[in-house]
Structures are given as structure tokens and as C-alpha cells.
């Protein structure tokens, strides 16, 4: 093959495997590092030397790679598959929806919204109603008056994540991390939760849905705020904007259309 493209999360392959591929002059190996906002120190920085090219979605990590001597790095971003996100029906049957996992403070926020008498449906692993199929998800994007999105990363501080500072799992066995790994993991454990741009920005807007999202750094590089998408920075602003846009159909639909046109023009994977 000509290109080996990897989207890694743990230690799915031995390092010798990557080194063997990199040693072949007729193969280009590429690693997509989409969580560098919070995984650079204890993951990406340890894997980068194994590939010909690194793709990162975190602008701040470019400098970190360069300081390590890794020059073949491209700042990229998530995108939209316009051939796979095709809504089947349009009937605006939901007021507010959220699709994703209930980590961080998401459950708390949803509970507070419901106390404000705001109707919110939540789907995904960890919610009472569970996951949805891909097609159901796309239909929900289009048929929700407002699609919510949160930008905090999924790192959580609990006993399990604390133990991972010292131990790593290899197949069915646990081994102690090296001293350098423990130092790196410890630093990452207490790192402030990073807000990041996720694929959901492009999937919701590309499907024709109206997006109300928590702010993330560099978002204005990809969307015109309040024209293509709407952003909130705190809970009170979230409630205020939900109530405003539920009442203003024309404005909401115009923003959704602008967002879709922007994504189809600039942000498809094609």
C-alpha cells in the first residue's frame, strides 16, 4: 500500500510494527492525533517519532511538536462526510437535543435545563434512552430546533483515572508505568479540562441542523459566530439563547442554512 493512516487511542500496535512501516521508503505513515488538547504530554508526544506525518487538530500543539524536533506536522480539523450524512425526513419534532456521552458536567446542565421547563432529548451511551443508529442521529440533527454541543474533553478525575497514573494495562495484565510516564500522567491528571473543536460541529451543521455550542478556542477560524452557528460561554447564556431561538424560527433557520453552506463549501472530507 502507499499510505498507512492511523487513528490511535491506546497501544493498539507494537512500536516495532510502526518502525517497520516507517523504514519502507515507498510507504507514507500518517497518524491523526485529534485529542492533543489534553493527550499530547502522555500520549502523542511519545508516539510522534514513529510516523512520517502527524495531523493535529490543536493549534497550540504545533509549537510543542516543533520543539521536539518533529517538523512534519499539519494543523487540520474535523470535517463532514456529505455522502454519509443524509437526513431522510424533516418535521422539526424536537425542541432541543443532545447526542453524546454524559461525562464532565453534562448531566448536571441537562437537569437544570429541564427544571427551566426546556424539553431536551439526550441520546448516546450513558443516557437512559441509550444510543441511536447513524441514520437516527442524522435525522435528529435536522429535526431538532436546537442541537446542543459541549466542548469539554472527556477526561475525568476519579479513582480509576488516578490508578492509571501508575499502572497500564497490556492485554489482560497490569504493569507499572516508568517514572517518566508517571510524571507525565500526573501532570495530565491535574491539567485543566480543555475545550476543543469536535467533529460534531461539522456533522450537525452539514446535516442542516441549527447548532448552539459551548465555546472552543479558534472556533472563529472555521465558522462565523452568530451567523453560521451560535455560541454560549456559561449556563445563563445557554438558557437565554435556547429561549430566544425557540421563539425566532426565521432567524434560527437562516443560521442553520448559513452553517450548512459553509461546511459544504469548506469542510467536507472530500
Amino acid at each position: 500500500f502507499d499510505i498507512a493512516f492511523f487513528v490511535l487511542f491506546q497501544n493498539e500496535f507494537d512500536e516495532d510494527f510502526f518502525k517497520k512501516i516507517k523504514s519502507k521508503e515507498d510507504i507514507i505513515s500518517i497518524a491523526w492525533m485529534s485529542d492533543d488538547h489534553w493527550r499530547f504530554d502522555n500520549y502523542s508526544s511519545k508516539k510522534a517519532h514513529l510516523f512520517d506525518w502527524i495531523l493535529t487538530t490543536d493549534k497550540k500543539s504545533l509549537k510543542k511538536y516543533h520543539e521536539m524536533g518533529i517538523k512534519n506536522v499539519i494543523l487540520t480539523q474535523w470535517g463532514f462526510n456529505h455522502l454519509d450524512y443524509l437526513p431522510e425526513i424533516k418535521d422539526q419534532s424536537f425542541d432541543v437535543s443532545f447526542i453524546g456521552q454524559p461525562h464532565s458536567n453534562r448531566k448536571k446542565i441537562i437537569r437544570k435545563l429541564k427544571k427551566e421547563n426546556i424539553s431536551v432529548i439526550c441520546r448516546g451511551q450513558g443516557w437512559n434512552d441509550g444510543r441511536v443508529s447513524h441514520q437516527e442521529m442524522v435525522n435528529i440533527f435536522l429535526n431538532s430546533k436546537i442541537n446542543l454541543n459541549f466542548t469539554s474533553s472527556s477526561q475525568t478525575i476519579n479513582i480509576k483515572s488516578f490508578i492509571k497514573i501508575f499502572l497500564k494495562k497490556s492485554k489482560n495484565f497490569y504493569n507499572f508505568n516508568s517514572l517518566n510516564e508517571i510524571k507525565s500522567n500526573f501532570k495530565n491528571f491535574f491539567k485543566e479540562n480543555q475545550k476543543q473543536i469536535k467533529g460534531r460541529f461539522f456533522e450537525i451543521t452539514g446535516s442542516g441542523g441549527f447548532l448552539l455550542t459551548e465555546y472552543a478556542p479558534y472556533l472563529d477560524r472555521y465558522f462565523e459566530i452568530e451567523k453560521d452557528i451560535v455560541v454560549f460561554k456559561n449556563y445563563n447564556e445557554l438558557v437565554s439563547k435556547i429561549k430566544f431561538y425557540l421563539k425566532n424560527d426565521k432567524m434560527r433557520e437562516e443560521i442553520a442554512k448559513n452553517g450548512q453552506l459553509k461546511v459544504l463549501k469548506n469542510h467536507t472530507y472530500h
Side-chain angles (χ1 to χ4, degrees), residues 89-194:
I89 52 175
K90 179 173 174 60
D91 60 11
Q92 293 281 302
S93 55
F94 309 110
D95 280 349
V96 183
S97 69
F98 172 70
I99 298 180
Q101 295 184 30
H103 61 68
S104 308
N105 61 344
R106 294 174 179 180
K107 278 190 174 181
K108 181 180 178 181
I109 292 173
I110 297 300
R111 281 197 300 267
K112 288 175 72 175
L113 289 177
K114 289 182 176 179
K115 287 182 180 178
E116 303 262 3
N117 293 318
I118 294 172
S119 174
V120 189
I121 67 155
C122 297
R123 299 299 301 271
Q125 184 176 335
W127 296 105
N128 290 337
D129 293 328
R131 302 180 67 175
V132 289
S133 68
H134 175 78
Q135 188 59 57
E136 286 176 302
M137 179 181 72
V138 176
N139 288 339
I140 290 172
F141 289 161
L142 182 64
N143 291 293
S144 299
K145 292 178 182 177
I146 296 174
N147 290 274
L148 292 184
N149 181 60
F150 302 100
T151 59
S152 295
S153 57
S154 60
Q155 63 184 129
T156 53
I157 295 179
N158 54 33
I159 294 297
K160 185 177 179 181
S161 58
F162 183 77
I163 291 173
K164 286 183 178 179
I165 294 176
F166 307 97
L167 296 174
K168 59 185 172 185
K169 189 175 183 180
S170 178
K171 297 182 180 179
N172 294 322
F173 299 95
Y174 284 93
N175 297 307
F176 281 101
N177 290 316
S178 67
L179 185 58
N180 285 336
E181 287 173 327
I182 291 173
K183 287 180 180 178
S184 177
N185 291 343
F186 197 82
K187 177 182 175 183
N188 197 61
F189 182 79
F190 289 103
K191 192 175 183 180
E192 183 182 355
N193 200 305
Q194 302 293 303

